[in-house]
Amino acid sequence: MSPRDVNARRTSAREEGRTHWRRSLAVALPALLAAGGLGSAMATGALAVGLRIQDRPVDFTTSSLYGTQYGAAVVDQTVVRADGSTGSERVLRMGFADGVINGLCLSRRQQIGGATYTLLLTLGDDDPGSWEIRTKNTVLDLRGATGVLDMDGVVDLNVDGADVKTVKDASGAYVANPLDSPQHRFGIQARYAKFDRITGTAQDFQIPGLLTTPKLSLSVRPGTVACPAPAAPTGTPGTP
């Protein structure tokens, strides 16, 4: 066999490998989205979405999150174990009536056909001073996080979780127990809250109201891929 024939076979093998990878990715993407429990329901407007990520933990990073009418309470959250069985875990459920976010990345690993893939959902622009993402009725079940928290306005610690208030109904009255907390659980209430350079894991991430962002991208990467470390925010956020 001539060297030219050997090189031709090697080139063909590389092209075939790329083709198989592209085909596998095309087949895996719908399964990854379904298995990940990740959905973004497009509403009217360019990038107005209702975001809901449930059932399994999702890693996230953000440069900054600032919200009004902040509340938090310790609740019991149903979790799915590695063997497929369900259990219960205590998490800190946080809620904002209105918020602005300075860049957001969500990362979730999935096993499809014996291989590990990572779903990466990124929102916002690359400007650390824009707070370009706006949300309504954000709910986040936090398993763990690192970063800086600053609360302002009237701040109440160790309130009954069932008495925490975040959103209002159509009549303008506060919704009773919006975080669905049991009685006599630890709770926090603040008029404003700001989180900077957050890296964390959430059991549940929901923005059922409205999320607007100038940019949204969803990608699937082979292996385990983490969100990039959040940049330090600059300036101050605008009014949500």
Side-chain angles (χ1 to χ4, degrees):
M1 182 181 296
S2 69
R4 180 176 298 177
D5 291 334
V6 172
N7 289 335
R9 289 196 174 188
R10 287 175 178 170
T11 300
S12 176
R14 285 196 299 268
E15 290 175 350
E16 183 179 359
R18 286 198 295 267
T19 302
H20 284 325
W21 163 244
R22 289 168 184 159
R23 287 175 181 171
S24 298
L25 188 57
V27 172
L29 181 55
L32 281 163
L33 294 174
L38 189 158
S40 59
M42 297 303 295
T44 56
L47 286 174
V49 302
L51 182 66
R52 192 177 294 264
I53 302 176
Q54 297 176 286
D55 299 331
R56 291 180 175 84
V58 57
D59 297 327
F60 69 95
T61 62
T62 179
S63 171
S64 184
L65 187 159
Y66 170 77
T68 63
Q69 202 56 40
Y70 167 75
V74 175
V75 303
D76 298 312
Q77 173 64 279
T78 300
V79 298
V80 179
R81 302 188 182 96
D83 60 3
S85 62
T86 59
S88 181
E89 181 174 309
R90 288 196 173 180
V91 298
L92 182 66
R93 178 169 293 168
M94 303 192 304
F96 291 90
D98 296 280
V100 288
I101 304 175
N102 196 352
L104 178 64
C105 174
L106 304 170
S107 170
R108 171 174 282 175
R109 292 181 298 278
Q110 294 294 146
Q111 292 287 328
I112 300 293
T116 299
Y117 298 90
T118 299
L119 280 168
L120 279 180
L121 177 65
T122 57
L123 301 94
D125 56 31
D126 297 324
D127 182 356
S130 62
W131 277 273
E132 69 284 5
I133 304 168
R134 292 181 174 269
T135 71
K136 287 186 177 294
N137 194 15
T138 304
V139 179
L140 173 66
D141 286 349
L142 195 65
R143 295 181 61 176
T146 59
V148 178
L149 168 62
D150 180 26
M151 293 185 288
D152 204 348
V154 178
V155 179
D156 293 322
L157 299 176
N158 201 26
V159 300
D160 194 311
D163 294 333
V164 166
K165 300 176 177 63
T166 57
V167 294
K168 296 180 179 180
D169 60 23
S171 70
Y174 280 108
V175 174
N177 196 7
L179 301 182
D180 196 24
S181 170
Q183 291 281 345
H184 312 303
R185 291 288 181 84
F186 175 80
I188 303 172
Q189 185 78 66
R191 183 68 183 91
Y192 307 97
K194 182 171 177 283
F195 298 81
D196 287 345
R197 303 194 75 175
I198 300 297
T199 298
T201 300
Q203 182 62 34
D204 203 66
F205 204 112
Q206 300 182 51
I207 307 176
L210 179 67
L211 179 152
T212 59
T213 175
K215 182 180 177 183
L216 181 153
S217 65
L218 175 65
S219 62
V220 179
R221 310 280 183 87
T224 299
V225 181
C227 285
T234 59
T236 58
T239 303

